Structures are given as structure tokens and as C-alpha cells.
Amino acid sequence: MSATYSTITLAGVEKSFAGWNLAFDVTDELFNQKPDIFTATLLGANLATETATPTFPFEGIITVQIGRISSTGAPNSFSGGTITFSGKRVGNPARATGSRQGVTYQFQGPWYDLMNTDYQQQFYGASGVSYLLPEVVLNTSTAVTTGQVMCSVGDQIQAILQWLLDQYTAQGMTLPFQYTGRLLNAGKIDLDETSGVYNYAVSSATTIDPSLFLLFLPSYIAKPMKCADAIQKCLQLSPRVTCSFDYSTNPPTFHAALVDNMTAVNLPVLDGATNTQLNIRSRPDLVARSVNLIYRVTTTVNGQKEISYTQDKYGPNGSNNAADPDTGLRVINELLDMSGVTASYTTAHLDVEPVLATAAAGGSTQALKRGWWSEPRGGNVSKLADSRVRFQDQNGNATTIPDAVITDAQTGAVLQESDLIAYGLVNSSGALVLNRLVRGSVHAWMTNPDGTTVVSKKIHVASSATYAEYDATSTSGTPDTDTTGNRLSVANSKQMHADLEVSNGLTQAYTTLASVAPGEQIILGANGIAAYLYNHMKVLQYEGDYTQVGVAFGGVSMVNAINFTGGATVWATMRAQCQGIRRHYGRMTTQVQIGINKYLSAGQLSSLFNMWRFRRPWYNPLLRTQNTVQNSNVDQAIATGNANSPEGLVNPQINAWLNYATQPTGSTPGTVSSAIIAHPEVLSVHDGLN
């Protein structure tokens, strides 16, 4: 005939409580954000033997089940039933009395693993070498290609859980728990690289409450933290969220559940059958009238700090409504220091002059061309400045300055207008812009006000013209038709040339963002911290305890919201938060503790903000992934533009050199005795080497 047993399985061996020689007083206690504890005493155990070779070795994993069926009660003969606990052995205090001795073993659920495993993140050092450091940066994700983005509390909790499971898997250890969350990218939170939105939606079956995936908190940097501490830090502003384990699965399933989203269980009050004790009181002193947060944001630009303040208040009338109090009785007020953007800018100045050596570039008249060639900031032909040089032929007829020939200073190739346009020397309309760079350097980051990219190019500008030289400055407004004075010589072809660096830049200051460390983001309004916390704290909370007997353990769990029926009307819909459950396996009693989150144990609403009370100075989480916070390099030019070359030289191949029989006196021209034409073959060339 079959019977029902409670059993413990260790290392593949399952025995009944009696088979393990356990005393009647077997209990377990389940908690919110604390280790669940299973306690059992071995009767008649030899203290020395149990100390040397314990029945349950340190961190030995047990599974406790009730309702197991067996016809003999022999080891490993059981079937059916329900798992009520699974965990590791952590303590075995020995005790003895005058009549007997025994060893009490204590086992803790998976929170033990979270309490004893450091949460580590990857940081990069010099030369891109990565290190796992115990320093923790919460509420940011590095799953993007470069940089970091804010992540939700739900994502951060999932990353912590996954970290522990990954380490256990890598070391070949038994996984202590499981969970259901969003898909992960190589263990990291998988966010879209552009806007920070989720690539994967939150499943309705996730065991991390969906509301936590909508909560974004400022980044928090802390020294070494255990996984359990990191989870608690994430939930300090979520007093109505319970962390617990469902032991009916193997391994146990982690739950972080908001009481508003839990399944309610109705427990009868003083029904004369199951309820044996009730203590309960309401906590209206913890109902917030409003939550008023002030963010103090420090922004740094080029080393100068600027402080700004932003209010985020939320109450019954919504966001920042004047009808809700900013201060006073049961108003949560807190100042949160935030780091704003830290930026530095680089400024460079350009000084330019238009190149008027061609009609296409703006030299549309002889006067403009002459003025440019004589201008020190232009062609720099000093002889043209005082009009002793007049563009005339031997008969005194005016000649013209032709458009200059522009060649590439590096290759010598002739550059047409289309070539210069193709190089980018243009404005937003695509028209040629040819400015001589007088002072300054062109950098790759420069952009003109019309949106065009500033470019530069080294060129050689040359123009050959026929002109005469006189011994006196022309006083005429049109010197090229003036024959006043003594003409000293006439050059059949005189070359004017200059080496320039030209650009489509303008005379102005150009500024660019050289480096930036993005600050902490603030989320305000309905999705902000004030609204989130107010929605937690506007609900009347209850605390107390309730005991029932003779009811199967599965009737109530840590992921149930608690209602009491048969008592006060408000108790039937109070949805109280379960903080602990104590079960006695011998007596089949269950004691349920309801109450407020431990972060409110002082009875002060502002105690919720202790997570920022001792906050370390903020630094940029980008250091985790690239060892630098600079994300924009200023491209310095290799060299500045050369100064203009001296005035042009006579081309000896085509210019006539005059020999005077009589020298000019200033009033009469001299007499030319002969004209010698220089030919290429009379020129000597050497390489400059001795």
C-alpha cells in the first residue's frame, strides 16, 4: 500500500525525512531579497563524526519535496509530489543536552549564490587589453558597437543574473536558478545601437516584472558589490517589488515581481478551521502626497562649470502640477546631483583674399587683375604697385593681362575651372570659390556657413603679358594708356607668377566639438523617477502576520499579493506585499508575514533615496569599453600655406633684352643699339652638386 512522504534528495540519493533520521522540527523560511532557509536536525548524530564527515557536506545541494508517493519508503522509490525547496548546505551547528545530541543543518536557497558572487564588468586598459573588475557601473549598457546607453532596471537585473549563470557555466558548476527575460547579445543587454530602443520586446512570460523594463535610473558607480547587493541597489526605489524563487521548477525560477502585477491569494480570517492567528495594521503614514525631485546638473564646457536645476514633481494631479505640494507633510523631497555634458571645443581662424587672376575666379576686368597682381595679399608683384610698369606694346598701345594659367603645385598639371570645382573649391551653388589662404590652416572638420566642406590646395599661378617699364610713376587713372615719362624697356613676354595655397574657406573663425563626455540623462514626467516612486507610494500599505494550519504549502507563495477575507472590508482588496513565509513540515503550519519593504523600515519616506546619499563622484561609463571619453579627433593640417613667391621673372626664351647705345636721361628715351634674343640652347643647367 502506498504512502505519502516528504523527502530530501542529495547527490542523486532521495530519502524520506525519517530515512535521513530528521527530527520533527523541520522548517523552511522564504524571504524577500534575503536567503531562503531550510533547517533540519539529525537526531542521535555523533558530533565528532558529523564534524569530520558530515552527512550533508558544505555547499552540498539538496532538493526538498512533499507529497512524494512510495509503497516501501525505501531510498529512490518515490514519485509525484511537489518541490518546496532547493539550496546549498551552509551551516551545521552541533548541540547536545543531557538526554541526547544532534546536529542541526541549515540550507540556503539561490540568494546565497547571489550573496557570495562578485558582480564584475569588463573594463579596457592600455592597448585595448580587457579586465574584469569588481567596480560596478549600474544602469548603463555597453552592448552597442561604441560607447554606452542608459538601460532599464529590468535590463540591469537581467544582466546581473546572467553574469552569475555565465560564470557557473564556464566553471562547470550546477546552475542554482533560472529566469525568463529578454534575449541577450553575448550576455549583454541587447539594445539598438542608434536610439537605445529594444531589439527584442519584453515577453509577457518574463519573470522580471515588465514594469522594471520601463524604469531608467541615473548611472551608479560603486566599489565591489555582490550580485545580491547590485540587485538590491537596482530596486531601492521599487519598495513594492518582491524578489523570490519559485521552487516548483528545477532549478528554482527567479522572480522580481511588482505586487500590483501579482496573482492575489485570499486567506480567510478566523474561520474556525485554518486561521489560528492574525496581527495587522495599516501604514497611512507612508502614503506620499507627492514626490518632488530636484536634479542639480553640472555641465562643463572648456573647463568652465555651469550648474542648472530641473524639477520633476509628481502627484495626484500629474507632472509638475501646482495643485500638488512641493514640500510639507508626507512629501518626498530629494536633491539628486547629476553630471551633465563635459565638452571641449576647438576654434581655428582663417584669413583669405580672393584670387582675381582669372575671370572665372572674379578677375573680370583689367583693373581687378592688375590690382590683384600688385597686391601683397595677391600676386605680390611689387613693380605693378606704382604704375611704372604699364601694359603696352612697343607702340604704346594698351595690352591686356590674360587669364592666369593655374597648375597643380605638386604634379604640375594644368588645372581648368572644372578641375578646381571637382576638387571642392565651391560654394553651396557649385560655383568656383578661389581664395588665397593668407593666414591660418584648413582642417578637415571645417564647414562653411552654407554647409560646404572647406578644402585647400596648393597651386602655381602664372600669367605672361607684354608690358613696358617707365622711369616714372603714372599719375593717370588709366596707366596702361599713359606714355608720360621715359620708357626704359619693353618686354615681349613678361611672366608674373605666385605659389599659393587656395581654399573655398572664408575669413572667419571656425569652431568644432573636439571631445565630449555625454552626461547622465534625466527622464521626466510620466516615465520619470518621481512618477514611478509616487505610483508605489500612493497605495496604502499593511504590515502584520497571519498563521494557518492544515493547508497545503502551495496555497500561498512569495509571488502572491495577500488579501484577507472575512474581516475588514478593505482587507479583501488590500493586495499586501508578502515579506516572508515560515513553514513547519511536522505541524503543517504556514505563517505569512506581510509588510513594507525593508528600505522603509525607519518609517521615513526619504530613506528611499539612500541609494544616492553616499554617491561616489560620477565618471563616464565609456571608460568601461574604450578607455577614453573622447569621441572626436581634431584633424590638424600637415603644413600651413606657403607665402607668396617673389614677383615673376622674365622668361629668357622669349623676352628681348635691350642694349642701349645712349642711356635714357629721363626726358628723352635712349637709343637701342641692338636686340639680343635669348635661345634655349644658350642656357646652362646644372644639378647644384659640386
Side-chain angles (χ1 to χ4, degrees), residues 123 213 357 363 371 454 465 528 593 605:
F123 289 76
F213 290 97
V454 178
Q593 181 183 5
L605 300 181

Side-chain angles (χ1 to χ4, degrees), residues 27 93 144 221 292 314 400 441 515 547 559:
T27 62
V144 292
I221 300 170
N292 184 38
Y314 208 88
T400 60
S441 298
S515 64
T547 303
V559 291

Side-chain angles (χ1 to χ4, degrees), residues 38 60 118 222 347 352 439-440 504 555 606 646:
F38 179 84
D118 285 323
T347 299
V352 301
R439 283 187 295 270
N504 63 333
S606 290

Side-chain angles (χ1 to χ4, degrees), residues 503-551:
S503 171
N504 63 333
L506 307 175
T507 297
Q508 67 169 59
Y510 291 84
T511 301
T512 188
L513 182 65
S515 64
V516 60
E520 298 175 278
Q521 299 180 41
I522 301 175
I523 300 177
L524 308 174
N527 293 321
I529 297 176
Y532 180 84
L533 184 56
Y534 174 75
N535 288 330
H536 274 265
M537 302 306 300
K538 69 181 181 180
V539 180
L540 178 62
Q541 300 184 70
Y542 295 83
E543 61 184 10
D545 58 78
Y546 172 93
T547 303
Q548 64 178 184
V549 65
V551 178

Side-chain angles (χ1 to χ4, degrees), residues 321-369:
N321 194 300
D324 297 320
D326 290 347
T327 187
L329 181 65
R330 287 186 286 113
V331 174
I332 299 177
N333 287 280
E334 191 62 43
L335 174 66
L336 299 183
D337 281 299
M338 308 283 285
S339 176
V341 172
T342 300
S344 62
Y345 291 84
T346 292
T347 299
H349 298 262
L350 293 185
D351 185 7
V352 301
E353 283 285 325
V355 177
L356 304 179
T358 68
S364 57
T365 67
Q366 289 297 299
L368 289 172
K369 287 181 181 177

Side-chain angles (χ1 to χ4, degrees), residues 346-537:
T346 292
T347 299
H349 298 262
L350 293 185
D351 185 7
V352 301
E353 283 285 325
V355 177
L356 304 179
T358 68
S364 57
T365 67
Q366 289 297 299
L368 289 172
K369 287 181 181 177
R370 182 190 187 96
W372 183 82
W373 278 111
S374 63
E375 171 62 43
R377 290 164 63 102
N380 197 27
V381 180
S382 60
K383 284 186 177 182
L384 302 184
D386 61 6
S387 299
R388 285 185 173 87
V389 173
R390 306 172 194 175
F391 290 90
Q392 301 172 351
D393 59 16
Q394 293 188 16
N395 299 319
N397 297 318
T399 60
T400 60
I401 305 174
D403 277 355
V405 175
I406 299 176
T407 57
D408 191 311
Q410 294 178 315
T411 66
V414 175
L415 300 175
Q416 305 296 332
E417 178 184 356
S418 59
D419 299 321
L420 297 170
I421 290 176
Y423 187 74
L425 295 164
V426 296
N427 58 23
S428 59
S429 300
L432 177 66
V433 176
L434 206 61
N435 291 330
R436 179 210 162 190
L437 189 61
V438 180
R439 283 187 295 270
S441 298
V442 172
H443 304 290
W445 48 263
M446 288 181 170
T447 302
N448 282 321
D450 64 2
T452 54
T453 300
V454 178
V455 299
S456 68
K457 190 170 185 62
K458 294 186 186 318
I459 62 172
H460 181 77
V461 181
S463 180
S464 296
T466 298
Y467 66 76
E469 293 189 55
Y470 284 77
D471 64 348
T473 301
S474 172
T475 59
S476 170
T478 56
D480 295 339
T481 60
D482 187 2
T483 57
T484 302
N486 296 314
R487 186 169 59 191
L488 303 180
S489 65
V490 176
N492 291 340
S493 180
K494 188 78 170 182
Q495 188 187 67
M496 302 172 291
H497 65 88
D499 290 311
L500 309 175
E501 183 175 6
V502 294
S503 171
N504 63 333
L506 307 175
T507 297
Q508 67 169 59
Y510 291 84
T511 301
T512 188
L513 182 65
S515 64
V516 60
E520 298 175 278
Q521 299 180 41
I522 301 175
I523 300 177
L524 308 174
N527 293 321
I529 297 176
Y532 180 84
L533 184 56
Y534 174 75
N535 288 330
H536 274 265
M537 302 306 300

Side-chain angles (χ1 to χ4, degrees), residues 224-247:
M225 300 182 76
K226 300 300 184 182
C227 291
D229 295 328
I231 292 174
Q232 288 179 330
K233 182 62 66 175
C234 290
L235 293 175
Q236 274 191 238
L237 293 188
S238 302
R240 288 169 58 78
V241 170
T242 298
C243 288
S244 62
F245 294 92
D246 176 8
Y247 291 101

